[in-house]
Amino acid sequence: NQENFLKQGHQQRLSQEKQSNADLATRQEKHAALEKRGQLAQDKIDQLTAKVKDCQAKLADTQQKLADLTNQYQETQRQWYQALGDAHSTESQIRNFRAMEEEYAGYYRGVQAVLKNRQQFPGLAGAVSELVEVPAKLTTAIETVLGGQLQQLVVDSQTMGKQIIHYLINKRAGRVTILPLNTLSSRQPVMVNPTVVNLPGYIGRATDLIKYENRYQIIVNHLLANTVIVDNLDHATAVARAGHHQLRVVTLDGQLINASGAMTGGANRHHQHGLLSQRQSGKKLDALLKRQQDQAKQLEKRVAALQASHQRGQAQVTALQEKLHSYQGQLQDAQGQSRILEDQRAEIESQISTLKRQFALQDDQHQDFQSALADNQAAQKTTDQQLAQVQADTQEVNQQIRRR
């Protein structure tokens, strides 16, 4: 009948609803799992993003330091090459200077002839200029006082002096002045009055201000016994007066007042280097070369250190670039995985929405079933009532017929 048909259809829909509920539960569980996985994926993305930013910052900082280091390296290398060039230039000057020394440039012809062949004269000590060591500050003063006397030759005896003179005569090589140590008259340095010593600008006795071997004391006394040195000409005149013109007074810049009172002074347009100045120049060149070589060595070490630091810095940059590339690759993978999970989650949400719409439709169908069932039951009741009435009427008719 109609009611059974309705109930069978309703039972089928209940079975479908049960299956839909199971499907919905399954999809909701999957949706929850996908949300959890999505959150983990997002956490991983956040972590990798932070690592990428941190690595990028470290890389930028390291690259900047490497650029600064490169500039330092290049500048220090330039300074090193410059120092090497300066040292090479100074070495060339020293070689030229040594060549001039070997040729005894600046000496008189006769002195040159003897000094160039000094191995022939075992008793030759050398020229006066070779036997005294004069402080640079006093060079001009001593050169002014001694002049050509700096080229006088010191020998151990008159015999050696005679041998040298005969040599020059035979070679017609020039003339010299010879100072034999064994026959030279001895002179004692002048005793300077304390009044003079205490005058402004007084520096000291020349014999006390230069260095020499003790055996050449007689030579130094012979040449400079009455010579004192002062700072300038004004003080020189005062010292000369106070010394009662018994002193030869010379200034640092070469102005001279002789014991006789005669004065020699002035300046040339072009400064000429004397023998002592040449020796000073040689010493200065040697000292300059030493400083330049030391500087070049220090710069070479600095260049090597900077080069090593640069290599380490480049290695750090390479390592950071590789790490950054790795992090960026992992981030891209994580973002790709997150998009897949998001697509899966969206698909599940769509399926869940579809199931929920089906549930709403099933609710409507259930209500329709209840309404149809009620209508059917009402109709059945009416039919039963009508049937009962018909049966009652039929029975009454039958009774009437039997009474007849």
Side-chain angles (χ1 to χ4, degrees):
N1 60 19
Q2 182 66 27
E3 182 176 350
N4 289 335
F5 175 77
L6 289 173
K7 287 182 178 181
Q8 288 177 357
H10 180 60
Q11 189 62 38
Q12 290 177 351
R13 285 191 292 273
L14 287 177
S15 177
Q16 291 175 352
E17 183 177 352
K18 182 178 180 181
Q19 182 61 43
S20 295
N21 282 330
D23 291 343
L24 178 61
T26 299
R27 283 164 175 75
Q28 286 176 333
E29 289 178 0
K30 189 173 183 180
H31 182 269
L34 286 172
E35 282 192 330
K36 185 175 181 180
R37 289 175 62 189
Q39 185 58 51
L40 292 174
Q42 186 59 48
D43 292 343
K44 186 175 182 180
I45 289 173
D46 293 342
Q47 292 173 0
L48 287 170
T49 300
K51 288 182 178 180
V52 166
K53 289 181 178 179
D54 180 66
C55 193
Q56 286 173 333
K58 289 180 178 178
L59 178 59
D61 181 64
T62 304
Q63 287 175 328
Q64 182 59 52
K65 289 180 178 178
L66 183 61
D68 294 341
L69 198 61
T70 299
N71 292 334
Q72 292 179 33
Y73 171 77
Q74 292 175 345
E75 175 60 21
T76 305
Q77 188 179 54
R78 185 195 65 76
Q79 293 176 359
W80 177 38
Y81 290 153
Q82 180 64 48
L84 290 174
D86 292 344
H88 180 73
S89 176
T90 302
E91 286 175 342
S92 296
Q93 294 181 54
I94 290 175
R95 284 194 297 269
N96 293 334
F97 184 80
R98 295 288 181 258
M100 291 175 61
E101 279 190 329
E102 291 175 0
E103 292 297 320
Y104 294 98
Y107 285 90
Y108 300 144
R109 178 168 170 265
V111 178
Q112 286 182 342
V114 174
L115 294 178
K116 287 181 180 180
N117 296 280
R118 64 196 310 161
Q119 69 279 359
Q120 298 183 30
F121 312 108
L124 173 63
V128 171
S129 62
E130 298 177 319
L131 304 179
V132 294
E133 184 176 344
V134 180
K137 180 181 178 181
L138 307 179
T139 298
T140 300
I142 298 301
E143 283 183 340
T144 300
V145 169
L146 295 181
Q149 291 177 306
L150 286 167
Q151 299 199 39
Q152 294 179 357
L153 299 178
V154 178
V155 296
D156 58 356
S157 65
Q158 277 189 338
T159 302
M160 180 52 60
K162 289 165 56 179
Q163 181 179 339
I164 291 173
I165 291 173
H166 287 310
Y167 172 81
L168 292 173
I169 292 172
N170 293 333
K171 296 291 185 178
R172 303 188 67 82
R175 297 173 61 85
V176 297
T177 298
I178 295 177
L179 304 176
L181 289 172
N182 67 335
T183 59
L184 194 66
S185 60
S186 176
R187 298 175 60 187
Q188 294 300 319
V190 67
M191 296 300 295
V192 182
N193 191 298
T195 302
V196 174
V197 173
N198 293 324
L199 286 175
Y202 178 84
I203 296 175
R205 296 188 305 183
T207 54
D208 298 331
L209 298 175
I210 63 176
K211 295 180 180 180
Y212 47 87
E213 293 183 20
N214 290 334
R215 59 179 172 152
Y216 302 129
Q217 179 75 59
I218 188 173
I219 301 296
V220 174
N221 289 345
H222 172 75
L223 298 173
L224 298 169
N226 67 336
T227 303
V228 297
I229 300 176
V230 298
D231 59 354
N232 60 50
L233 186 58
D234 290 336
H235 291 152
T237 56
V239 168
R241 283 195 304 269
H244 306 292
H245 295 288
Q246 296 178 355
L247 302 173
R248 181 168 54 175
V249 185
V250 64
T251 65
L252 293 177
D253 63 349
Q255 313 309 318
L256 178 64
I257 301 177
N258 288 289
S260 65
M263 300 176 68
T264 302
N268 294 318
R269 183 181 298 274
H270 301 291
H271 179 70
Q272 295 181 349
H273 292 286
L275 298 176
L276 296 180
S277 297
Q278 291 180 18
R279 290 186 61 195
Q280 290 290 343
S281 297
K283 291 179 180 179
K284 288 179 181 178
L285 285 174
D286 289 337
L288 175 61
L289 178 61
K290 178 65 166 56
R291 291 194 302 271
Q292 290 172 337
Q293 289 175 333
D294 289 343
Q295 182 184 23
K297 289 179 181 178
Q298 292 175 357
L299 288 170
E300 182 180 13
K301 291 180 181 179
R302 178 64 176 157
V303 166
L306 287 171
Q307 187 177 36
S309 297
H310 187 275
Q311 290 174 346
R312 290 194 295 270
Q314 186 61 59
Q316 291 175 354
V317 166
T318 301
L320 285 171
Q321 288 174 333
E322 292 176 352
K323 180 181 285 189
L324 177 60
H325 182 72
S326 174
Y327 285 154
Q328 288 173 333
Q330 294 178 45
L331 178 59
Q332 290 177 353
D333 291 343
Q335 290 171 336
Q337 183 64 30
S338 177
R339 285 192 293 271
I340 292 173
L341 291 174
E342 181 62 27
D343 291 343
Q344 291 178 349
R345 187 171 67 84
E347 177 65 23
I348 291 296
E349 288 177 349
S350 175
Q351 293 175 3
I352 290 174
S353 295
T354 300
L355 287 172
K356 286 182 177 180
R357 286 195 299 271
Q358 290 177 356
F359 287 153
L361 180 62
Q362 287 172 353
D363 287 341
D364 292 341
Q365 291 175 346
H366 181 70
Q367 291 176 359
D368 292 343
F369 165 73
Q370 293 294 338
S371 177
L373 182 61
D375 291 344
N376 183 70
Q377 288 177 343
Q380 184 65 40
K381 183 177 180 181
T382 300
T383 302
D384 289 344
Q385 289 175 349
Q386 292 175 349
L387 180 61
Q389 182 64 42
V390 169
Q391 288 176 345
D393 291 342
T394 301
Q395 186 177 6
E396 183 178 353
V397 169
N398 289 332
Q399 288 177 354
Q400 291 176 358
I401 294 175
R402 282 196 297 267
R403 281 197 299 270
R404 289 178 183 172

